[in-house]
Amino acid sequence: SSGCSFWNISNAGLLRKIGSNGTNVWSGGVNANNTGTIDVQNGTLNLASGLTQLSGTTRLSGGFLNGGTFNLNGGMLSGSGVINASVINGAVISPGSSPGTLTINGNYTQTATGVVQMELGGLTPGSEFDRLVVNGQATLAGDLNVTLINGFRPTSGDSFAVMSFTSRSGSFTTTNRFALGNGLYLTANFTATMLTLTATGSIVTPPVLAYSRSAEGVFWVKLSGQPNVNYRLDGSTNLVDWVILVTTNSPSGLLDFNDPQSATIPHRFYRAVTP
């Protein structure tokens, strides 16, 4: 254990805690200020008077960060480890190290400018998707961003318990990257102590087009799609200018289309679009 007594402590470079055991204590200062990088890899860094971060990064790689209230006014707090303090986030918090779990043993307040970023790379909490554990009151506002990593694509019904808390007030103002494409999206579901993201929807199978041409030069186009889905069949002679030929929402998902104009033109291109 070691200690320093200064009225003000400012880090604009790199402060790294690498000892596997023991605690480094910075005490007596009004506050510790960070505009550089604080990297806690092992052991405990105790900022007894708290931390104000204006820019830069505070990162945990398995260690402990103790102290008074941590005010994040800029930059990012990231990594996996334990913070024994209350956190006010007006910047960006990104739990895990692609991915992982960040634990806050204290209250967590996210302001209107705050963002929490979650990465989803599988179904196993902590090792395949990020988690933020708040052992205290969570007061929420600002944004929740979700990113898919490592080529992972959820299927309908997959769920991710990305955040837990002892109690909660408020909610995220906006959510980003919740549309997964191909008919799937994520919904945010709150309980008294947890936030779970659930993949909802059904996989949309792309329609298949087939065609044949009669002796008179008329094209017959067959569309095979999903039942009761709206499709639009377009035609073109140059792959630039397209015209709508027909729309359908067939109960069978099938459409047979006779294109009489095709007999008078040398070639024809077709595409199926879901409006």
Side-chain angles (χ1 to χ4, degrees), residues 26 35 75 80 126 143 167 194-195 243 249:
W26 283 13
T35 57
S80 299
D143 293 347
S167 59
M194 189 168 294
L195 167 61
V243 295
N249 60 347

Side-chain angles (χ1 to χ4, degrees), residues 21-157:
N21 295 301
T23 301
N24 290 88
V25 182
W26 283 13
S27 61
V30 172
N31 209 333
N33 299 303
N34 182 49
T35 57
T37 298
I38 297 176
D39 184 16
V40 184
Q41 296 187 355
N42 291 291
T44 301
L45 177 62
N46 188 351
L47 304 177
S49 297
L51 170 70
T52 297
Q53 180 168 287
L54 304 176
S55 61
T57 300
T58 298
R59 180 173 58 243
L60 283 81
S61 304
F64 294 80
L65 189 57
N66 298 353
T69 300
F70 293 167
N71 291 282
L72 304 176
N73 298 324
M76 177 180 290
L77 169 64
S78 66
S80 299
V82 177
I83 297 176
N84 293 308
S86 292
V87 176
I88 300 175
N89 177 28
V92 178
I93 286 184
S94 180
S97 300
S98 297
T101 299
L102 181 64
T103 300
I104 298 174
N105 290 325
N107 296 329
Y108 174 69
T109 301
Q110 182 164 313
T111 70
T113 60
V115 178
V116 61
Q117 298 182 162
M118 297 291 184
E119 294 179 329
L120 308 181
L123 299 178
T124 305
S127 61
E128 291 184 318
F129 69 84
D130 289 336
R131 298 190 70 229
L132 178 62
V133 177
V134 179
N135 292 316
Q137 165 82 16
T139 302
L140 302 181
D143 293 347
L144 168 65
N145 290 348
V146 179
T147 303
L148 301 179
I149 61 172
N150 301 329
F152 175 64
R153 289 293 179 270
T155 59
S156 183

